[in-house]
Amino acid sequence: MQCKDFESVLASEGFGLLPAEAREHLDACARCKEFLADIDSIVAVARTLPAEVAPPDRLWISLRAQLEAEGLIKEQVGTTEHASWWENLVVWFRPRSLATAGAALILAVTVAFLTHTRNRNVAEQAAPPTVAGNPQLAGSENTSAPEETHLTGSGKSSAPGPPPSRVKELKPSPSENASTTLSETELDVSNMQLAGGNGNAKVDASLRQNLRTLNEFIAECEQHLRKHPKDELAREYLNMAYQQKADLLAAMMESGRSEH
Amino acid sequence: MQPMINPRHSLSVWTAGLILFASSTAIAGAPQHQERHFAVKHRPVVVLQNIVNGRIEVKSSKNSEVIVSSTATAEKVAVDVEQVGDRIDISASAMGSVSEPQELQADFQLTVPEQTELQLKTQTGLIYVEQVTGDMKLESVAGDVHLKEVSGYIIVKTTGGSLVCTLCSGKLEFTSISGNAQVSQPALTNVNLMTTSGNILYDGDFIRTGIYTMKSGRGLVEVRFSDNDSFDLNARTNLGTVDNQASDFLKPDTHTHHSVASRYAHSLFGTVGQGLAKVELSSYSGTIRILKRN
């Protein structure tokens, strides 16, 4: 038997019992002895390696958050359930920039649309017949609270709201929609950050601190607007805060993406 | 029979190994400096994106070249610089997976021709720009932005970083959540400053026909004008107060009737001089202070 034949036997028969002819060759051949020793040591080292490690739960949460942010799935973020169809799909989203860009775009468009819609509603409220004829165009935030009595000094802003019975039929106001959308996105971002885990601490701390600042400010403005729904300055600041929050959440997504 | 090991030989091998290990560790953690020169023909555009920590300093020179000088954490931060025509793209990013991202740093010093367009973005470090004439967009998360003698259309966007703008001219836009804005001795024709919880201080002239808008959600908005100024003032706050310390110089507004703002008690309209510039100050719950410089 030649060395080449011995290697073939080893490849086909494995490391178990070698045929007699192969063992005879091994006894006589120093090269093959060395070769077999190398193989043995590799196998020994390989056996010391840990078994394949399952991905951590936080990874699935992060992927789910991305898919929800993109609108591909719409579920409550829960605990890990492996091997569903979408989990296999997320392999295609490994470059997180794709998911992040998509989510940020959706967020920006949503906020811009809602803000625009709200502004249009305010403008249309100035024309009483249109508002009365189309209650869906009137923001409910302007009708759910009692009418301000001291705002009619110029006589231009006293547009009557729709009848109380119709108020209940109104869809949620754009501001409420923006608030809800942003809150959902904030939850997704929190999940992504939990999943990321190893971000730049200083940057993350600043982003989170500023998110808290914005949330407090938004809550303050919203509370004020519930009492004074026609306070345009407060609404202007609320819309600016919404826009800033959308930008901040996009930055937080970007920060999460940069970590990986 | 056990082979004999010479203890002296063994010791020298260990020592060499330790030295090698220590030196490789030191190299990996030490900052790595590099400087590159790029010849440019016309107005260059410099784009710098630093996604690790670090400071960016930009100064101008008379030479038609862009010098990019960087100091970055060795073997952990990748600095890429690329030139396409008169555009220079610079980026700093973490190499691979890093256990301590906050330790990663890349500081930049750029020397550019006076007329250069800048687009700079960093995370935590200071952005400092001096004597550059050209449009610029500067973005930072937690780092401050200091501008001195810059001119052009200046856009500054931060999350928590503050802006200090001295002797700036042109058009200025500042947006921040908690950052402050301080504008001193400006020659700006168009100013738009907006922060949610930061303070705003504008100390300087209002150029005729200029438009100046300053808004702070919760912070103080303070303007200090001079004798020669000529502007219409509209100051409004929802829950704060308007602290008018220049009532002797403010005449009742002669141009428009602000029915909306007059609903709120905390508002002030007035004119200084002929009312040529337009100044709008507002705050949701902060104080608006109006002063005249001595």
Side-chain angles (χ1 to χ4, degrees):
Chain A
M1 180 180 270
Q2 301 295 314
C3 293
K4 198 189 298 179
D5 301 327
F6 176 78
E7 287 172 17
S8 299
V9 170
L10 201 62
S12 59
E13 302 293 328
F15 302 102
L17 281 175
L18 291 170
E21 199 180 355
R23 269 184 276 133
E24 277 176 22
H25 174 78
L26 185 65
D27 290 340
C29 178
R31 182 180 171 277
C32 286
K33 272 184 187 166
E34 195 179 340
F35 176 67
L36 188 61
D38 285 348
I39 298 285
D40 280 342
S41 61
I42 290 168
V43 169
V45 170
R47 282 182 178 145
T48 64
L49 293 174
E52 190 178 345
V53 180
D57 287 352
R58 60 182 173 78
L59 179 65
W60 301 117
I61 294 169
S62 167
L63 294 172
R64 184 189 285 259
Q66 287 175 51
L67 290 170
E68 285 190 349
E70 288 197 53
L72 291 175
I73 59 169
K74 192 67 185 172
E75 296 174 54
Q76 289 295 314
V77 176
T79 52
T80 314
E81 285 182 13
H82 297 266
S84 59
W85 66 269
W86 60 268
E87 287 168 348
N88 296 324
L89 180 70
V90 297
V91 173
W92 297 99
F93 290 90
R94 277 283 153 78
R96 289 180 61 175
S97 55
L98 188 63
T100 306
L105 185 65
I106 289 167
L107 187 61
V109 168
T110 305
V111 171
F113 171 75
L114 294 172
T115 305
H116 173 74
T117 309
R118 203 218 70 78
N119 290 338
R120 194 179 60 188
N121 289 347
V122 169
E124 289 181 4
Q125 269 191 311
T130 310
V131 173
N134 187 357
Q136 285 198 347
L137 290 176
S140 65
E141 73 275 23
N142 289 334
T143 54
S144 56
E147 191 75 28
E148 271 190 327
T149 55
H150 64 289
L151 300 181
T152 53
S154 65
K156 290 180 181 176
S157 56
S158 56
S165 61
R166 303 194 74 175
V167 171
K168 291 177 184 173
E169 298 168 14
L170 294 177
K171 293 177 180 176
S173 73
S175 293
E176 286 166 357
N177 281 338
S179 183
T180 307
T181 305
L182 288 168
S183 298
E184 286 172 358
T185 311
E186 185 180 342
L187 181 64
D188 293 341
V189 169
S190 301
N191 287 334
M192 280 178 67
Q193 289 207 323
L194 281 174
N198 65 339
N200 184 329
K202 196 173 175 186
V203 173
D204 288 347
S206 175
L207 292 171
R208 280 196 297 270
Q209 174 61 43
N210 282 286
L211 183 59
R212 276 196 294 274
T213 300
L214 276 178
N215 283 338
E216 287 166 10
F217 186 65
I218 286 170
E220 195 179 329
C221 289
E222 285 175 340
Q223 193 178 3
H224 178 83
L225 279 166
R226 277 194 284 275
K227 292 177 185 168
H228 308 282
K230 293 200 171 180
D231 186 335
E232 289 172 17
L233 188 61
R235 189 164 302 283
E236 187 184 323
Y237 273 98
L238 179 62
N239 286 337
M240 284 192 312
Y242 280 152
Q243 186 61 55
Q244 282 196 314
K245 186 171 174 180
D247 291 345
L248 182 67
L249 291 174
M252 292 174 93
M253 287 182 191
E254 180 65 23
S255 173
R257 183 190 68 77
S258 305
E259 292 160 15
H260 302 283
Chain B
M1 187 177 175
Q2 291 287 325
M4 292 292 290
I5 299 173
N6 184 344
R8 189 175 294 172
H9 183 234
S10 172
L11 185 66
S12 60
V13 169
W14 275 103
T15 308
L18 279 171
I19 290 169
L20 269 174
F21 175 75
S23 59
S24 64
T25 310
I27 289 167
Q32 191 172 35
H33 182 79
Q34 64 172 341
E35 183 174 306
R36 295 180 66 180
H37 295 241
F38 301 92
V40 291
K41 290 178 182 171
H42 308 290
R43 285 187 177 188
V45 178
V46 177
V47 181
L48 196 163
Q49 182 149 4
N50 186 1
I51 66 163
V52 296
N53 301 321
R55 168 191 173 101
I56 302 171
E57 187 176 312
V58 187
K59 290 186 177 177
S60 65
S61 78
K62 302 286 182 191
N63 301 330
S64 295
E65 68 169 353
V66 173
I67 304 171
V68 180
S69 177
S70 66
T71 306
T73 313
E75 295 181 4
K76 290 183 178 176
V77 175
V79 175
D80 295 314
V81 189
E82 187 182 3
Q83 178 177 22
V84 179
D86 282 342
R87 181 187 168 101
I88 317 285
D89 279 291
I90 308 159
S91 70
S93 56
M95 292 168 71
S97 179
V98 181
S99 56
E100 302 279 341
Q102 61 271 23
E103 290 180 359
L104 299 185
Q105 180 134 351
D107 296 322
F108 288 91
Q109 264 195 316
L110 311 179
T111 307
V112 300
E114 274 182 12
Q115 294 195 336
T116 298
E117 183 181 328
L118 298 172
Q119 293 174 34
L120 312 177
K121 191 171 182 179
T122 188
Q123 302 286 311
T124 59
L126 172 75
I127 297 179
Y128 179 81
V129 183
E130 184 176 341
Q131 289 183 328
V132 175
T133 302
D135 297 345
M136 54 190 80
K137 185 173 184 183
L138 315 170
E139 294 180 71
S140 167
V141 175
D144 293 343
V145 178
H146 290 192
L147 308 176
K148 189 176 177 188
E149 295 175 56
V150 301
S151 176
Y153 185 1
I154 306 156
I155 298 173
V156 179
K157 191 172 179 182
T158 75
T159 303
S162 293
L163 165 71
V164 177
C165 194
T166 310
L167 294 164
C168 300
S169 59
K171 182 177 177 181
L172 172 65
E173 279 185 22
F174 171 71
T175 314
S176 179
I177 295 171
S178 60
N180 304 317
Q182 181 180 329
V183 182
S184 306
Q185 299 170 268
L188 295 157
T189 55
N190 195 315
V191 172
N192 196 342
L193 311 176
M194 205 275 280
T195 173
T196 299
S197 65
N199 300 323
I200 294 173
L201 169 63
Y202 185 95
D203 185 356
D205 299 341
F206 294 107
I207 293 174
R208 295 170 182 218
T209 72
I211 298 173
Y212 304 84
T213 307
M214 299 169 216
K215 299 176 180 177
S216 175
R218 288 175 159 170
L220 167 75
V221 180
E222 182 173 316
V223 294
R224 300 174 189 174
F225 63 91
S226 69
D227 278 338
N228 301 324
D229 282 339
S230 169
F231 60 91
D232 263 352
L233 176 72
N234 177 350
R236 296 180 294 160
T237 174
N238 261 24
L239 308 176
T241 54
V242 177
D243 178 13
N244 178 16
Q245 298 186 15
S247 51
D248 294 346
F249 304 89
L250 275 168
K251 295 177 291 188
D253 185 14
T254 54
H255 290 80
T256 52
H257 175 62
H258 301 267
S259 59
V260 175
S262 62
R263 295 172 188 166
Y264 307 107
H266 312 289
S267 58
L268 173 70
F269 309 105
T271 302
V272 173
Q274 293 179 295
L276 296 174
K278 185 178 177 186
V279 178
E280 286 197 358
L281 314 175
S282 80
S283 178
Y284 175 73
S285 59
T287 298
I288 297 175
R289 185 170 297 138
I290 299 143
L291 300 156
K292 193 190 85 62
R293 274 181 287 146
N294 295 321

